[in-house]
Amino acid sequence: MLRHFATRLYPAVSLVARRSATLGAPATSSCKLSTTPALSYDFILTEKRGEKQNVGLIQLNRPKALNALCDALMSEVGEALGEFDRDPEIAAVVITGNERAFAAGADIVEMQPLTAVDCYKNSKFQHWDCITRTSKPVIAAVNGFALGGGCEVAMSCDIIYAGEKAWFGQPEIALGTIPGGGGTQRLPRAIGKSKAMEMILTGDRVSAQDAERAGLVSKVLPVAEVVSEAVKLGEKIGTFSKVAVAMAKEAVNASNNLPLDQGIVYEKRLFYMSFATKDRQIGMDAFVEKKAAEFIDN
């Protein structure tokens, strides 16, 4: 959840933050909800990628603030995800930042004056659930820093591709607080209790390579290839039935919340439901007839 960190912990990030401040980096007053029309955003960029233009791309775009996740930015992410989720042509969505930072954390300037009552009344970070509520696969393409809230946003995605110079961490402890966007819950599920506890209690960050070995990251790639490879992954997912993909995603995500026996029952019910779809018949017919399946997403 961190935007700027203590110099002793993250000297490189702190140096960039100090320089950004002198360059007019957005502060609380400039990070407000946009009054511009839908699909016109202040803090993100969106486009469609891929040969069939079937992969949505959301780029976090507060470069002077290392893509600090202010409320307005995350609200725009939610709006963009909703648009892509409703678009029948979109098969998957990629969320990325820039080569310096995926997102260095939540906006501490915005949070600093808040009280406990403010956080409770406004359900702080509640709207970050927009990522997990998206029915289509969401892929994080991470370069640079993914710290605090940035790490939490990446973990909210279904798959993480990381550049070879990416760093992950939950350093909220250095600010006298704890992760508030899911870090204490998702990190142990991804890498195990002991390693997650070490990262959260010390604020230590891990490299992309260590994150891959720990199971947090699916693949580590050259910096310049992260986004393009994430888009290719989205395109590959797009060759299958969107209905089956959504069911598979739902079943896997349910495993985080259900005991094994209940999870298996949940999976079976979704499996049975797939037999009510035309795509299941198309897929099995194509297999038997030894030809490529042409799914209709129905």
Side-chain angles (χ1 to χ4, degrees):
M1 294 174 356
L2 305 181
R3 171 181 172 187
H4 304 320
F5 310 101
T7 303
R8 64 184 179 84
L9 289 176
Y10 302 104
V13 183
S14 297
L15 176 60
V16 173
R18 291 197 301 271
R19 292 177 62 188
S20 296
T22 64
L23 294 173
T28 307
S29 59
S30 62
C31 193
K32 296 180 179 179
L33 290 175
S34 172
T35 57
T36 52
L39 301 182
S40 178
Y41 302 111
D42 293 326
F43 303 111
I44 64 172
L45 302 173
T46 63
E47 61 178 296
K48 294 182 179 181
R49 290 278 189 94
E51 185 176 337
K52 297 181 178 179
Q53 296 286 284
N54 65 340
V55 178
L57 179 70
I58 299 173
Q59 181 179 3
L60 311 181
N61 190 38
R62 293 186 72 200
K64 292 182 180 180
L66 297 180
N67 291 330
L69 303 171
C70 63
D71 282 344
L73 182 150
M74 288 305 297
S75 293
E76 291 184 357
V77 169
E79 291 173 16
L81 282 171
E83 292 289 341
F84 285 137
D85 214 19
R86 290 186 291 272
D87 188 333
E89 300 302 317
I90 294 296
V93 181
V94 173
I95 299 179
T96 192
N98 55 52
E99 291 189 3
R100 295 171 69 194
F102 175 75
D107 194 327
I108 302 305
V109 174
E110 185 176 72
M111 289 198 298
Q112 189 272 335
L114 298 180
T115 66
V117 173
D118 293 331
C119 292
Y120 184 78
K121 287 175 62 177
N122 297 319
S123 298
K124 189 66 175 173
F125 298 135
Q126 188 68 41
H127 59 304
W128 288 29
D129 292 347
C130 60
I131 300 171
T132 56
R133 290 198 306 268
T134 303
S135 64
K136 294 173 181 177
V138 182
I139 305 159
V142 177
N143 272 315
F145 297 109
L147 304 175
C151 186
E152 290 170 316
V153 165
M155 289 191 293
S156 295
C157 297
D158 300 303
I159 300 168
I160 303 176
Y161 275 10
E164 56 195 357
K165 296 181 181 180
W167 289 92
F168 298 84
Q170 297 289 164
E172 290 86 351
I173 200 75
L175 295 184
T177 187
I178 69 170
T184 64
Q185 304 304 302
R186 291 193 174 96
L187 193 58
R189 285 170 166 82
I191 66 175
K193 176 185 174 183
S194 181
K195 186 62 177 177
M197 193 72 81
E198 180 184 20
M199 288 178 63
I200 290 169
L201 296 186
T202 65
D204 288 348
R205 56 188 179 178
V206 298
S207 67
Q209 293 75 16
D210 286 341
E212 182 185 28
R213 284 189 284 268
L216 179 61
V217 166
S218 177
K219 188 177 291 186
V220 176
L221 299 155
V223 171
E225 298 178 13
V226 177
V227 174
S228 61
E229 288 300 313
V231 170
K232 288 179 183 177
L233 175 62
E235 289 184 289
K236 182 175 183 179
I237 292 170
T239 64
F240 304 110
S241 164
K242 291 184 178 69
V243 179
V245 167
M247 285 181 172
K249 171 176 171 171
E250 182 179 343
V252 173
N253 284 337
S255 70
N256 286 328
N257 304 311
L258 296 174
L260 178 60
D261 58 342
Q262 294 180 26
I264 290 174
V265 170
Y266 193 87
E267 176 191 80
K268 281 186 171 62
R269 288 175 178 171
L270 287 170
F271 171 72
Y272 299 155
M273 285 177 60
S274 74
F275 277 68
T277 69
K278 294 178 181 178
D279 280 342
R280 194 280 313 174
Q281 190 68 56
I282 290 170
M284 291 191 176
D285 287 350
F287 178 84
V288 171
E289 296 168 13
K290 296 181 173 57
K291 65 179 184 180
E294 296 182 5
F295 297 111
I296 61 174
D297 302 324
N298 198 331

